[in-house]
Amino acid sequence: MDILFAAVPEKEVRTDALIIPLFEDFFPDLYMELDNSVGGLIRKTLNSGEFKGRHMQATLLHVLAIKAERILLIGLGKQSEISPERLRQAGGKTLSLLRDVGLRHIALSAGPLNSLSLDYHVSQKPLFYFIEGGLLGLYRFERFKSKEDIQELVSLTILDDGESFPLNWLQVTTSATLFARDLVNTPANEKTPTRLSVIAGSLSGDNMEVRVLDETDLEKEAMGSFLSVSRGSEEPPKFILIHYKGAEGAPLVLIGKAITFDSGGISIKPAEGMEKMKYDMAGGASVIATLKAVAELGMALHIIGIVPATENLPSGSASKPGDVVTSVTGKTIEIISTDAEGRLVLADAIGYALKYYDVTAIIDIATLTGACSVAFGSEVIAMMGNNKDLMGKLKKASTETYERVWEMPLFDEYKEYLGSDVADIKNTGGKRGSLMSSGYFLKEFVGDTPWVHLDIAGTAWLEKAKPYIPKGATGVGVRLILNFLKEL
Ligand code: BES
Ligand code: ZN
Ligand code: ZN
């Protein structure tokens, strides 16, 4: 969809539908003239009580006497209750509604949005969040649906001069989020580690080099922890390295868990709901998508994305509970549960990063524990780490994007949960406190390097749609990390 700016009066715009955002508690003077042109239809609708301007309430009116075919009244609720998130929700509702009606060219009256002052510590103007929600809300995953006549919006004209509007930032960050959603929604048979590495490889270009380590390389590197996960699968593992050099200096490392299917391995998961475990690569998807956006934006940063990709399957060659493996750092790990595979692949990714790069900081993002979604549902990313400054910056970015993070403690007592009788550490600390013990496991491999772990097990997938996130993959983490990087 094209996004255009045109500073023309509402009644002059030729469009299939003119979007008029309205508050519940006041009707702005600026629409008096427009309303007069359509014979008082807007006030008539308001007076009827059918449309009150409640948050996300929508009414589509066919109109005569102006150049627009229709007017869509979209409620923003009470002015005092407006927030960036509510604007995203209203935008999401609006654009998908008009698309679903079958319209092609739409226009947005920006007046009420521009006159709003947001009482939040955010960096963009209200108009930005409305359109951001709109773009994110249009997402559908239809790659495997036989094509019917799919309607798409062709253009959105914003009635504003567009001066200082960060259109490129908006388009790059939202389309990267949708790219991540596509990867995550894709079934596991269509996104094997090999396919994922090819997709990542296609990001190669100016400042961007993608390198993929295969099984032989991984053996040479002695990445026994990662390899212990891939052993059960016929699909070869791929260790994807995405190197973006937009600046000199030591790199920031982003690591994303990419289990393209997590059956649990020999510690197999229950059959019910197992199909969803294609989303166990959501961390990896967000790292790939983030780097794609970083390159498109040409950010002046030095970043290395690491995406260890493998399936986790049971077979005669699979790892077994009780097996001991050696990670690239030399630390030995007793595998208690083959279903706690995420930390095994992350441990080697962290070890590899520390071995080969002069790392300034590591952020890992992973669908690591069921305990995360038990604790937080779909609302919160569990954040753990060893560096307050980094966590503070991520927290700030999360206020901007509403991908909310919540810090969980990594108290030293959690170390005892991971004590093994036979190896340096074991890969599970039991059910109790497993959100923290999984984080503590990673901490043991990170050492003193500034590091943050983001557990997105609850937020990467929705069972029930939200106004601008359809059911399924959310693309969580992409906007969060991009906003974090923007402030560096
Ligand atoms: N991929 C799962 C975590 C997960 C569960 C993500 C549900 C999304 C939704 C992870 O590999 C796993 O199975 N973790 C186990 C660890 C346990 C065996 C210590 C878990 O959390 O149950
Ligand atoms: Zn698992
Ligand atoms: Zn997993």
Side-chain angles (χ1 to χ4, degrees), residues 257 259 261-262 264 269 277 280 312 339-342 367-369:
K257 168 179 172 182
I259 304 298
F261 188 76
D262 182 12
K269 288 178 180 296
M277 276 300 117
D280 212 19
N312 183 25
D339 196 13
E341 83 300 337
T367 48
L368 205 64
T369 64

Side-chain angles (χ1 to χ4, degrees), residues 85 286 363-366 372 375-385 387-409 435 452-460 466 476-484:
E85 181 62 2
S286 69
I363 297 173
D364 82 76
I365 177 161
C372 178
F376 289 122
S378 301
E379 311 313 321
V380 182
I381 298 168
M383 174 168 76
M384 283 153 263
N387 188 286
K388 289 282 169 206
D389 177 52
L390 262 187
M391 286 193 279
K393 286 178 173 150
L394 278 158
K395 177 115 197 159
K396 186 156 176 284
S398 89
T399 320
E400 180 69 42
T401 68
Y402 210 68
E403 294 161 290
R404 291 160 294 177
V405 299
W406 202 264
E407 188 187 344
M408 301 303 276
L435 179 52
V452 178
H453 162 58
L454 300 170
D455 193 334
I456 55 167
T459 44
K466 294 190 176 197
V476 72
V478 178
R479 290 182 307 124
L480 174 70
I481 298 174
L482 286 170
N483 275 277
F484 161 83

Side-chain angles (χ1 to χ4, degrees), residues 191-424:
K191 60 168 179 211
T192 58
T194 305
R195 295 274 283 273
L196 204 59
S197 71
V198 172
I199 293 168
S202 70
L203 302 185
S204 308
D206 289 349
N207 295 341
M208 187 84 117
E209 192 206 336
V210 181
R211 220 153 43 88
V212 179
L213 307 191
D214 61 21
E215 209 159 0
T216 348
D217 303 320
L218 296 167
E219 265 151 24
K220 260 188 239 148
E221 294 292 346
M223 290 170 54
S225 187
F226 178 42
L227 284 167
S228 78
V229 178
S230 62
R231 284 180 48 180
S233 171
E234 301 274 326
E235 287 293 338
K238 300 287 165 185
F239 192 82
I240 305 167
L241 293 159
I242 311 170
H243 197 153
Y244 175 77
K245 200 145 192 252
E248 296 300 322
L252 170 78
V253 173
L254 302 175
I255 300 178
K257 168 179 172 182
I259 304 298
T260 59
F261 188 76
D262 182 12
S263 72
I266 296 295
S267 313
I268 198 161
K269 288 178 180 296
E272 200 181 315
M274 203 201 271
E275 73 284 353
K276 284 199 289 271
M277 276 300 117
K278 67 178 181 179
Y279 93 81
D280 212 19
M281 42 64 78
S286 69
V287 168
I288 296 172
T290 297
L291 275 138
K292 181 177 189 292
V294 164
E296 284 168 7
L297 292 162
M299 286 177 128
L301 294 169
H302 187 186
I303 305 177
I304 291 168
I306 304 185
V307 181
T310 174
E311 296 184 327
N312 183 25
L313 294 181
S315 77
S317 59
S319 292
K320 303 165 290 294
D323 285 359
V324 174
V325 297
T326 307
S327 78
V328 67
T329 63
K331 219 189 255 300
T332 58
I333 307 166
E334 182 186 8
I335 299 173
I336 301 299
S337 170
T338 64
D339 196 13
E341 83 300 337
R343 59 199 80 179
L344 295 174
V345 310
L346 294 178
D348 268 351
I350 291 166
Y352 183 91
L354 295 176
K355 181 171 169 191
Y356 285 103
Y357 308 109
D358 173 26
V359 177
T360 54
I362 296 178
I363 297 173
D364 82 76
I365 177 161
T367 48
L368 205 64
T369 64
C372 178
S373 62
V374 171
F376 289 122
S378 301
E379 311 313 321
V380 182
I381 298 168
M383 174 168 76
M384 283 153 263
N386 61 8
N387 188 286
K388 289 282 169 206
D389 177 52
L390 262 187
M391 286 193 279
K393 286 178 173 150
L394 278 158
K395 177 115 197 159
K396 186 156 176 284
S398 89
T399 320
E400 180 69 42
T401 68
Y402 210 68
E403 294 161 290
R404 291 160 294 177
V405 299
W406 202 264
E407 188 187 344
M408 301 303 276
L410 291 182
F411 296 131
D412 281 336
E413 283 78 357
Y414 289 114
K415 188 180 169 75
E416 293 160 22
Y417 289 42
L418 299 167
S420 165
D421 295 336
V422 295
D424 296 333

Side-chain angles (χ1 to χ4, degrees), residues 47-342:
N47 291 339
S48 75
E50 276 171 43
F51 178 87
K52 292 191 162 67
R54 288 210 182 103
H55 178 47
M56 293 207 294
Q57 190 183 19
T59 297
L60 190 58
L61 307 167
H62 283 252
V63 292
L64 299 169
I66 59 169
K67 290 184 179 163
E69 297 284 336
R70 300 167 190 79
I71 283 180
L72 178 82
L73 304 179
I74 178 73
L76 298 177
K78 294 202 177 74
Q79 232 181 327
S80 59
E81 289 171 5
I82 204 81
S83 65
E85 181 62 2
R86 283 197 158 205
L87 289 167
R88 281 187 204 98
Q89 293 171 339
K93 163 95 189 199
T94 302
L95 265 59
S96 52
L97 183 152
L98 294 174
R99 188 259 322 266
D100 293 345
V101 168
L103 307 185
R104 293 161 56 79
H105 300 281
I106 62 174
L108 169 67
S109 169
L113 298 171
N114 286 340
S115 64
L116 202 62
S117 66
L118 284 175
D119 227 3
Y120 286 76
H121 297 284
V122 290
S123 65
Q124 304 292 357
K125 300 217 170 78
L127 183 60
F128 179 93
Y129 299 111
F130 187 91
I131 302 167
E132 180 181 39
L135 297 181
L136 293 171
L138 287 174
Y139 178 78
R140 290 180 292 195
F141 183 69
E142 291 180 328
R143 208 177 121 194
F144 298 95
K145 295 261 190 203
S146 308
K147 288 270 181 298
E148 291 152 38
D149 224 0
I150 291 172
Q151 287 283 357
E152 295 290 357
L153 291 174
V154 177
S155 74
L156 165 66
T157 305
I158 301 163
L159 307 188
D160 186 82
D161 59 18
E163 228 175 274
S164 82
F165 188 92
L167 184 60
N168 188 48
W169 171 261
L170 175 71
Q171 286 180 314
V172 171
T173 55
T174 52
S175 63
T177 304
L178 306 189
F179 175 68
R181 286 185 192 171
D182 268 345
L183 288 174
V184 176
N185 281 324
T186 298
N189 60 331
E190 294 282 338
K191 60 168 179 211
T192 58
T194 305
R195 295 274 283 273
L196 204 59
S197 71
V198 172
I199 293 168
S202 70
L203 302 185
S204 308
D206 289 349
N207 295 341
M208 187 84 117
E209 192 206 336
V210 181
R211 220 153 43 88
V212 179
L213 307 191
D214 61 21
E215 209 159 0
T216 348
D217 303 320
L218 296 167
E219 265 151 24
K220 260 188 239 148
E221 294 292 346
M223 290 170 54
S225 187
F226 178 42
L227 284 167
S228 78
V229 178
S230 62
R231 284 180 48 180
S233 171
E234 301 274 326
E235 287 293 338
K238 300 287 165 185
F239 192 82
I240 305 167
L241 293 159
I242 311 170
H243 197 153
Y244 175 77
K245 200 145 192 252
E248 296 300 322
L252 170 78
V253 173
L254 302 175
I255 300 178
K257 168 179 172 182
I259 304 298
T260 59
F261 188 76
D262 182 12
S263 72
I266 296 295
S267 313
I268 198 161
K269 288 178 180 296
E272 200 181 315
M274 203 201 271
E275 73 284 353
K276 284 199 289 271
M277 276 300 117
K278 67 178 181 179
Y279 93 81
D280 212 19
M281 42 64 78
S286 69
V287 168
I288 296 172
T290 297
L291 275 138
K292 181 177 189 292
V294 164
E296 284 168 7
L297 292 162
M299 286 177 128
L301 294 169
H302 187 186
I303 305 177
I304 291 168
I306 304 185
V307 181
T310 174
E311 296 184 327
N312 183 25
L313 294 181
S315 77
S317 59
S319 292
K320 303 165 290 294
D323 285 359
V324 174
V325 297
T326 307
S327 78
V328 67
T329 63
K331 219 189 255 300
T332 58
I333 307 166
E334 182 186 8
I335 299 173
I336 301 299
S337 170
T338 64
D339 196 13
E341 83 300 337

